[in-house]
Amino acid sequence: MFDEYVEHAGTSEVTRRMVPQLEDQGFEPDDPSLAFQTEPESMLTSLETGYFSAGAAELDNNPLFVLGRVQVDIPGSLVAFAIASDMLYMGCSNDLLIHINLKNPEKIVKIPVKAPIYRLFLDPSGRHLVIATSQGDNLYLCSQWREFLPRPIKSFKMIIESIAWNSAFLLSSIGASATGTREILIGGRNGILYEAVLDSKEEIFKSHDRNVNSVFTLPERQPITGLCFQWFPTPENRRGLVIVSTATRIYQFVGAPGDRRSDDGARMFTSLFSAYKGSELKFLELPGSEHSELHTQFARDKTQIASVAWLTGQGIYHGTINYSPSNSTNDALIDSAQLVPYPSPVVPASPAFSVRSNSKQPNVTMEVPVSVGLTEFHFLTLFNDCLRTINKLDSKVDFEEIIPLKPTERIMGLSSDPVNKTYWAYTDSSLFELTTKNESRDVWQIYMRRGEHDTALDYAQTSSQRDAILAAQGDAFLSQKQYAKAAERFAQTSRSFEQVTLALIDSGDRDALQYYLVVRLGRTKKTDLTQRMMLATWLVEFYLSKFNDLDDLIASESAAHDVEDLKTERTMLDKDLKTFFETYKVGSSVYSAGCPGLTPSRII
């Protein structure tokens, strides 16, 4: 994105600092020099060491993100920014709106607004833009208009702080051809929620704003700094969720939508909020911040909100949305919520953006970011002079970069394209693009340490990573006395043969040990006769031991009990041994080399 205009890593403009990468803890191979070797496709080459013969895999020490300055001329000071579906808009202090379609970035459109721009609200499809002004006279611009000029929306006479779009509709095939937005929610500075519909269709005597009405007023009448809504994905569960945030509170409203009277989605929220009017509201209250934001992250199908993040004075309040039918009677749908603390500042925090932490050290301050953002695995935190990323899985900082600012330059905020997953930081005079570089690289290690081995395998990118995960899972099964599962996992790894066999012998589970030996035999090269003979001999001893045990049992029980079942079991064991010889071809190749004249039939 914007490659021709971005200064990437390596330029003198940007100084990069990388936080040390995660280290292995408790899962190191016996020989450290082989820690990152890759596994061969099938065969073992050394039964004695238990490691595969492979070239050392190269470590990926590249940064997870790259921040580059975008070379674009910004007339005046940048006060607002929005991007969605490759449609980029910038609002400037000189009442100028700049539009760039990133599919054709050479063409830059400058549009006079004739009003002081306060905020820009762009729907996920990139077609509908609301330009909020500091005077309360707001404008609407549709990217499909031939006359590409914003038009006033008279009924939106308010200072808009937030807008929630019907993303599922706007990103659907039906929404792509529709002229309207269906229902949207607007959060005002006056603490009032409004429902409205925008329609880009040009009709005489009809305005573009339809059915604007207030649906709820927050009791504290504070500016509504964050807003989102989601209709439940299952038709049988006709409910909707609205999440509202102010500087210090976050609310959840759950209820049935109104009957859709027409395709424009008019008056869908009246019935939902009616149940809350006159009643005591439930909310979560946390210390506020000068910069309050509410962000959502959509599921991969882009049809429903998967998680939310709220910027507070104490940290990022983050949780997933639980749409389960079993949660149908609950008004609190934010699940697995946690407060992620902000990382410690590298440089002294600015008093304007700091709050006292709960640390026992009275002089320690916690720097609150100017803006936050969400990627698949990270929280983006933008501070006065740098950008840091916090891993969602372990809350650790794994990337940090100083932003080169001019003496009078000021950090403004972060924005992301919810469709194309691009991330942007902007100041009052510059624009930066944050590019992800193998963001999931270290995810497997975190899941492995948490004991979520199956999930860790989903994110393994190399055979050495998969090997480490399977070995760790084998250790876990061994400690849980699930010896058969442990043997199955160890058989797929480069764990030392001696180490595994001794552990399984100590467990006393002969069946688990037998399974492990059979798999190792199958993965040993046919030319390694010594190794194959050793494994085959050990396995044959298992069979003979079982034969002896069954013969003794049949002899002792035949006088007093029916032993037909035992005889049937012995017959099946006899067939298993024959199948073993036929499958692994050990009769002629192994025993002819080690014991001339000894054949499978003589053993049986």
Side-chain angles (χ1 to χ4, degrees), residues 42-57:
S42 58
M43 296 299 179
L44 295 172
T45 59
S46 175
L47 190 62
E48 288 73 29
T49 64
Y51 288 100
F52 302 125
S53 174

Side-chain angles (χ1 to χ4, degrees), residues 487-519:
E488 188 270 332
R489 294 299 187 273
F490 286 138
Q492 303 176 55
T493 72
S494 60
R495 178 67 64 87
S496 163
F497 175 79
E498 292 85 352
Q499 187 177 353
V500 175
T501 52
L502 287 173
L504 294 176
I505 290 173
D506 290 342
S507 73
D509 193 324
R510 294 172 62 87
D511 290 337
L513 178 58
Q514 181 178 354
Y515 174 86
Y516 177 74
L517 295 176
V518 169
V519 174

Side-chain angles (χ1 to χ4, degrees), residues 74 78-92 96-102 109-111 113 117 119-123 125-131 140-145 148-150 415 424 426 431:
I74 303 175
L78 185 59
V79 296
F81 180 89
I83 184 170
S85 297
D86 283 343
M87 303 294 281
L88 185 151
Y89 290 91
M90 293 182 284
C92 300
L96 198 65
L97 180 69
I98 299 174
H99 168 61
I100 303 174
N101 184 341
L102 295 181
V109 181
K110 298 180 181 180
I111 307 168
V113 176
I117 298 174
R119 292 184 184 273
L120 298 177
F121 302 99
L122 184 62
D123 85 290
S125 71
R127 297 191 300 272
H128 306 278
L129 175 72
V130 173
I131 306 167
Y140 171 52
L141 178 64
C142 178
S143 63
Q144 297 171 327
W145 284 342
F148 197 58
L149 291 173
S415 186
W424 307 77
Y426 59 100
L431 180 63

Side-chain angles (χ1 to χ4, degrees), residues 303-322:
T303 61
Q304 65 186 56
I305 298 171
S307 62
V308 296
W310 175 39
L311 189 161
T312 76
Q314 289 291 320
I316 301 173
Y317 178 78
H318 176 258
T320 57
I321 306 299
N322 183 3

Side-chain angles (χ1 to χ4, degrees), residues 253-464:
F253 301 91
V254 180
D259 294 329
R260 193 179 296 279
R261 300 177 185 176
S262 61
D263 289 338
D264 63 8
R267 299 189 182 279
M268 295 291 289
F269 293 98
T270 302
S271 61
L272 187 151
F273 284 103
S274 62
Y276 293 92
K277 291 182 177 179
S279 62
E280 186 176 352
L281 298 180
K282 296 179 182 179
F283 56 85
L284 173 68
E285 189 164 19
L286 290 171
S289 164
E290 180 181 347
H291 304 278
S292 176
E293 297 176 350
L294 180 69
H295 295 275
T296 60
Q297 187 169 35
F298 283 85
R300 293 192 175 183
D301 60 5
K302 301 182 179 67
T303 61
Q304 65 186 56
I305 298 171
S307 62
V308 296
W310 175 39
L311 189 161
T312 76
Q314 289 291 320
I316 301 173
Y317 178 78
H318 176 258
T320 57
I321 306 299
N322 183 3
Y323 297 101
S324 171
S326 61
N327 204 28
S328 60
T329 59
N330 195 350
D331 283 352
L333 302 187
I334 299 179
D335 199 12
S336 304
Q338 57 179 329
L339 188 65
V340 181
Y342 301 123
S344 301
V346 177
V347 295
S350 169
F353 300 96
S354 302
V355 295
R356 290 289 180 185
S357 85
N358 294 326
S359 172
K360 295 181 180 180
Q361 301 176 7
N363 295 326
V364 175
T365 59
M366 179 172 60
E367 187 179 8
V368 179
V370 174
S371 183
V372 297
L374 293 175
T375 70
E376 184 176 4
F377 296 107
H378 289 85
F379 300 108
L380 308 178
T381 57
L382 182 66
F383 294 88
N384 286 322
D385 65 344
C386 69
L387 185 142
R388 301 184 189 117
T389 66
I390 305 173
N391 196 299
K392 290 180 181 179
L393 300 177
D394 60 7
S395 300
K396 293 182 179 179
V397 177
D398 51 14
F399 174 83
E400 180 180 32
E401 185 160 327
I402 297 296
I403 300 177
L405 299 175
K406 300 170 186 175
T408 59
E409 193 172 3
R410 184 167 60 95
I411 291 289
M412 297 296 292
L414 285 170
S415 186
S416 63
D417 186 332
V419 175
N420 295 313
K421 306 298 182 185
T422 59
Y423 308 95
W424 307 77
Y426 59 100
T427 71
D428 56 359
S429 60
S430 302
L431 180 63
F432 298 85
E433 183 178 10
L434 183 70
T435 307
T436 58
K437 297 287 185 180
N438 195 14
E439 185 191 0
S440 62
R441 181 189 65 196
D442 301 323
V443 169
W444 68 276
Q445 286 183 309
I446 300 173
Y447 278 119
M448 181 178 71
R449 291 196 179 97
R450 286 163 52 167
E452 300 178 35
H453 300 103
D454 291 336
T455 305
L457 287 171
D458 292 338
Y459 290 100
Q461 299 177 1
T462 66
S463 55
S464 61

Side-chain angles (χ1 to χ4, degrees), residues 183-300:
E183 63 276 8
I184 65 174
L185 277 178
I186 303 168
R189 181 177 289 183
N190 56 4
I192 300 178
L193 283 166
Y194 300 88
E195 179 181 5
V197 173
L198 288 171
D199 197 322
S200 62
K201 190 175 182 180
E202 301 182 78
E203 296 180 319
I204 301 176
F205 306 121
K206 278 192 177 183
S207 62
H208 296 293
D209 45 312
R210 315 272 174 86
N211 304 301
V212 180
N213 63 295
S214 62
V215 290
F216 197 78
T217 302
L218 296 182
E220 75 272 27
R221 299 296 293 262
Q222 292 296 311
I224 300 173
T225 57
L227 187 59
C228 67
F229 74 86
Q230 177 70 58
W231 303 122
F232 279 46
T234 53
E236 60 273 12
N237 191 5
R238 291 190 71 254
R239 294 203 305 163
L241 166 68
V242 179
I243 300 177
V244 180
S245 69
T246 66
T248 58
R249 294 181 179 182
I250 186 168
Y251 298 85
Q252 300 180 61
F253 301 91
V254 180
D259 294 329
R260 193 179 296 279
R261 300 177 185 176
S262 61
D263 289 338
D264 63 8
R267 299 189 182 279
M268 295 291 289
F269 293 98
T270 302
S271 61
L272 187 151
F273 284 103
S274 62
Y276 293 92
K277 291 182 177 179
S279 62
E280 186 176 352
L281 298 180
K282 296 179 182 179
F283 56 85
L284 173 68
E285 189 164 19
L286 290 171
S289 164
E290 180 181 347
H291 304 278
S292 176
E293 297 176 350
L294 180 69
H295 295 275
T296 60
Q297 187 169 35
F298 283 85
R300 293 192 175 183

